[in-house]
Amino acid sequence: HSASNAKRGRPVIDDEALICSAQAGDADAFEQLLERHYDTLYRFAYKWCGNRADAEDVAQQACLKLASAMASFRFEATFTSWLYRLVINCAKDWARTQRRHEGLDVEGANDALSEPGSVEQQAYLWQVLKLLDRLPEGIKETLLLVHAEGLTHGEAARVLEVKESTVSWRLHQFRKHYRLVLDQGGLRE
């Protein structure tokens, strides 16, 4: 993003300065901040939803919510952690108001997932993501933050505003409940 800012004649400014400026009403600072973090926001929405159209809806809602919630960011967590929380809230709100889509957008899966893998691994991962929609509250976002985004248990706990032991317990519960599914490398309905 530094290159795109340099091309536009903008000085490269750190996130903290952009956040402070955006909180003070600087639309250009907000735009730069959004440009810098949109990929993270969209990628996480995509992992949550499993298809592009829904992820675009959630990302759009998250952008709108970010604009109105910017003043509430207090630098008590990293901006990225705060964004994950914002996307989770938008995704939950969206899921309550939209009809659920059963199909997953396999095209573009490699763009949304950070880990490379074989076609079989990608197909299996999409089956697991589909399974996530049926999990109890809290487990889906915990799994996505730790396993899809690579956050530590402590980082995920801060995003989810729970204790680190709660993150560990949720992951343990998932592994315990779905051990056979995961060990066998396939899903049974």
Side-chain angles (χ1 to χ4, degrees):
H1 294 294
S2 320
S4 67
N5 285 338
K7 286 179 189 175
R8 294 180 183 162
R10 296 180 189 161
V12 178
I13 303 171
D14 69 9
D15 277 359
E16 187 172 335
L18 285 175
I19 292 165
C20 290
S21 295
Q23 287 176 327
D26 183 337
D28 188 54
F30 179 79
E31 180 186 338
Q32 288 182 57
L33 196 61
L34 192 55
E35 282 178 16
R36 198 174 282 182
H37 292 280
Y38 184 81
D39 288 347
T40 299
L41 188 147
Y42 173 79
R43 186 186 68 239
F44 192 64
Y46 188 94
K47 288 176 183 177
W48 184 280
C49 298
N51 69 68
R52 288 181 183 176
D54 295 345
E56 287 168 2
D57 288 347
V58 170
Q60 181 65 32
Q61 287 182 13
C63 290
L64 294 172
K65 189 168 186 173
L66 178 62
S68 63
M70 182 59 72
S72 70
F73 181 70
R74 300 281 178 237
F75 299 93
E76 294 165 355
T78 66
F79 187 67
T80 304
S81 294
W82 189 73
L83 277 180
Y84 284 135
R85 179 84 245 152
L86 186 128
V87 173
I88 288 168
N89 289 337
C90 288
K92 286 180 176 181
D93 291 346
W94 172 86
R96 282 191 287 270
T97 60
Q98 301 294 316
R99 91 182 148 81
R100 303 301 297 213
H101 299 282
E102 291 299 315
L104 293 172
D105 180 8
V106 176
E107 179 187 340
N110 291 328
D111 295 337
L113 300 170
S114 54
E115 293 80 24
S118 70
V119 173
E120 293 82 13
Q121 288 171 323
Q122 292 295 337
Y124 174 65
L125 182 54
W126 282 114
Q127 290 177 328
V128 171
L129 289 175
K130 191 173 180 180
L131 174 71
L132 292 180
D133 283 334
R134 299 192 301 264
L135 293 176
E137 182 76 18
I139 293 181
K140 178 178 181 177
E141 54 260 31
T142 302
L143 286 166
L144 288 175
L145 288 170
V146 173
H147 293 294
E149 290 297 303
L151 272 62
T152 66
H153 289 201
E155 291 166 336
R158 285 188 290 281
V159 169
L160 298 171
E161 299 174 341
V162 298
K163 294 180 180 178
E164 189 172 337
S165 58
T166 301
V167 169
S168 299
W169 179 84
R170 287 174 178 175
L171 295 172
H172 171 74
Q173 287 300 107
F174 176 79
R175 284 190 297 271
K176 180 177 151 189
H177 193 343
Y178 294 101
R179 183 172 310 275
L180 287 175
V181 171
L182 295 173
D183 288 346
Q184 293 171 359
L187 297 173
R188 292 193 167 81
E189 294 293 327

